Amino acid sequence: MVKQKVTIKDVAREAGVSISTVSNALNGVDVLRPETKQHILDVAERLNYVPNLNGRNLKSQCTKVIGLFLTSIRGTYYNILADAVYQECKKYGYELNIFISERADNMMANILGKRMDGAIILNKDIREKETILLQKTQTPIVFLDRELQGERMTSVIFDSYHEGEMVAQYLLSIGHHTFAYINGASDNYDNMKRMQGFQTALMQSGIQFDEIDIIEGEFEKEIAYESMKQFVQSGRPLPEAVFAANDLSAIGAVKALIDGGIEVPEQVSVVGCDDIEIASLVRPSLTTMRTSFEKQGTLAVQHLIALISGEEKGCIDVLQGRIIPRESTCARRI
């Protein structure tokens, strides 16, 4: 017997509410009590209900639209990534819709409502609960911020852990013994992996790395500048080398050190990550770990198109980085 598709009427009947109430809950209309909305969402999930936002069954139709789900478009990374995704979409005849949201329910309604053929996700608010549902519904998905693999689920990620290891090994190789790390967003996948790899490589070399050696940066030049300025003014011993989670925070740290009368790299070496265009233009030019935002965006679209067409199954594609030595680091003089 063929299992019938669950309809909005089924959800309303099971939840004991009207169809319009279910519609309001699924579309995030703020007219319901929180407990009523949650009850309806729980029932919809239990029944594996997939909303059809266009009011008709598009299951067998191709929209030629890809969704890119972000939490921000601020900063070099998001700008370059989004443009790379868009340019690659055009090559395949696809439109790109960009969604910036912190509401998992709205994002899932758009993804599962057949408004797009697949989605590229760089959004921490889509959590395990949502990813399980995406796997159940066999929705073509490419993640850029976590390692997940399924029948129609792929990840395209930077090898951030190894990048952290390589930076530590590079700084150790040129004679540095004390270190600090400028933190990115605390819940960001790449930041966490870079810091873990950096810490592990230092510990394996017999160097203890403590919480006190972590300086806040939030991936922002201004925040890193103020944090490093406070560090210098505190009178604490300066680290011989600093690794920043991205280039912007590294540039902010270098400026704070120089403004505080500290010579870079003679007193403190600084390494960034990403190799954005300005990294080679600032003075001193920035030593950095080169990643490729463009390549990540391009590969994400290529994998997603292959998942949509059924030409490939899900995989994990890991992009390798490499160190670009410049003026912000030098060998430690004994």
Side-chain angles (χ1 to χ4, degrees):
M1 180 180 294
V2 178
K3 185 177 180 181
Q4 289 188 336
K5 181 179 177 180
V6 176
T7 69
I8 194 171
K9 291 182 180 179
D10 298 323
V11 177
R13 186 184 306 109
E14 182 72 15
V17 297
S18 67
I19 293 175
S20 63
T21 301
V22 173
S23 178
N24 286 336
L26 296 174
N27 289 287
V29 180
D30 294 327
V31 297
L32 303 177
R33 291 183 300 173
E35 57 270 26
T36 301
K37 178 181 177 181
Q38 189 58 52
H39 170 63
I40 294 168
L41 294 177
D42 290 342
V43 170
E45 180 182 1
R46 174 160 49 82
L47 296 179
N48 286 329
Y49 170 68
V50 178
N52 188 336
L53 301 184
N54 290 324
R56 59 189 183 275
N57 185 4
L58 297 176
K59 185 174 182 180
S60 62
Q61 297 186 27
C62 178
T63 67
K64 299 298 285 186
V65 173
I66 283 174
L68 175 61
F69 291 80
L70 307 171
T71 52
S72 172
I73 55 170
R74 182 180 180 182
T76 304
Y77 173 53
Y78 292 107
N79 293 335
I80 295 175
L81 175 73
D83 184 65
V85 169
Y86 174 60
Q87 296 301 328
E88 195 67 15
C89 281
K90 288 199 298 183
K91 293 180 183 178
Y92 289 91
Y94 272 78
E95 294 290 330
L96 176 66
N97 287 349
I98 298 177
F99 299 82
I100 306 167
S101 178
E102 295 180 351
R103 292 186 54 175
D105 56 344
N106 278 357
M107 289 186 280
M108 292 297 288
N110 277 287
I111 295 171
L112 298 177
K114 302 304 177 183
R115 287 186 169 179
M116 61 198 66
D117 296 337
I120 298 170
I121 296 175
L122 178 61
N123 193 306
K124 60 183 175 57
D125 295 297
I126 294 182
R127 304 180 189 275
E128 182 179 8
K129 174 183 175 182
E130 288 76 34
T131 59
I132 290 172
L133 182 56
L134 291 171
Q135 286 184 313
K136 282 182 179 179
T137 56
Q138 293 289 289
T139 306
I141 299 291
V142 173
F143 284 103
L144 305 182
D145 59 356
R146 68 200 78 180
E147 289 186 59
L148 281 177
Q149 180 180 0
E151 184 75 16
R152 307 190 77 188
M153 188 172 285
T154 282
S155 291
V156 180
I157 55 174
F158 299 120
D159 194 1
S160 295
Y161 184 90
H162 185 48
E163 291 169 0
E165 288 183 312
M166 286 192 290
V167 171
Q169 291 160 0
Y170 166 73
L171 291 171
L172 288 166
S173 73
I174 58 175
H176 296 292
H177 300 90
T178 58
F179 303 87
Y181 180 79
I182 300 181
N183 210 5
S186 59
D187 56 359
N188 176 271
Y189 172 85
D190 290 304
N191 171 65
M192 290 187 291
K193 290 296 184 180
R194 283 172 191 154
M195 183 166 62
Q196 289 169 6
F198 188 63
Q199 288 176 311
T200 299
L202 293 179
M203 291 173 63
Q204 288 174 347
S205 297
I207 296 174
Q208 187 62 37
F209 192 92
D210 300 315
E211 290 293 326
I212 197 170
D213 302 311
I214 299 175
I215 300 169
E216 291 307 313
E218 295 292 329
F219 292 128
E220 299 286 347
K221 182 172 69 174
E222 295 79 10
I223 295 175
Y225 176 88
E226 290 299 328
S227 296
M228 182 58 75
K229 179 181 176 181
Q230 292 175 17
F231 189 100
V232 171
Q233 292 175 345
S234 72
R236 290 168 49 195
L238 288 171
E240 295 176 1
V242 174
F243 176 36
N246 73 340
D247 286 339
L248 287 178
S249 52
I251 291 167
V254 169
K255 187 176 188 305
L257 287 166
I258 293 174
D259 288 353
I262 309 301
E263 294 182 344
V264 177
E266 289 80 7
Q267 289 178 269
V268 179
S269 287
V270 178
V271 179
C273 192
D274 293 332
D275 196 25
I276 61 176
E277 184 177 4
I278 196 175
S280 63
L281 303 177
V282 294
R283 289 295 176 267
S285 58
L286 186 65
T287 296
T288 186
M289 172 63 66
R290 176 176 291 171
T291 58
S292 177
F293 305 156
E294 296 96 333
K295 186 175 182 180
Q296 187 184 39
T298 298
L299 285 173
V301 175
Q302 293 174 357
H303 280 297
L304 185 57
I305 297 297
L307 290 173
I308 291 168
S309 65
E311 294 178 6
E312 74 172 37
K313 295 183 179 180
C315 65
I316 295 179
D317 197 345
V318 182
L319 307 182
Q320 305 295 328
R322 62 187 179 94
I323 293 175
I324 307 297
R326 295 196 181 104
E327 298 169 346
S328 67
T329 54
C330 68
R332 188 72 178 174
R333 294 184 179 89
I334 299 175

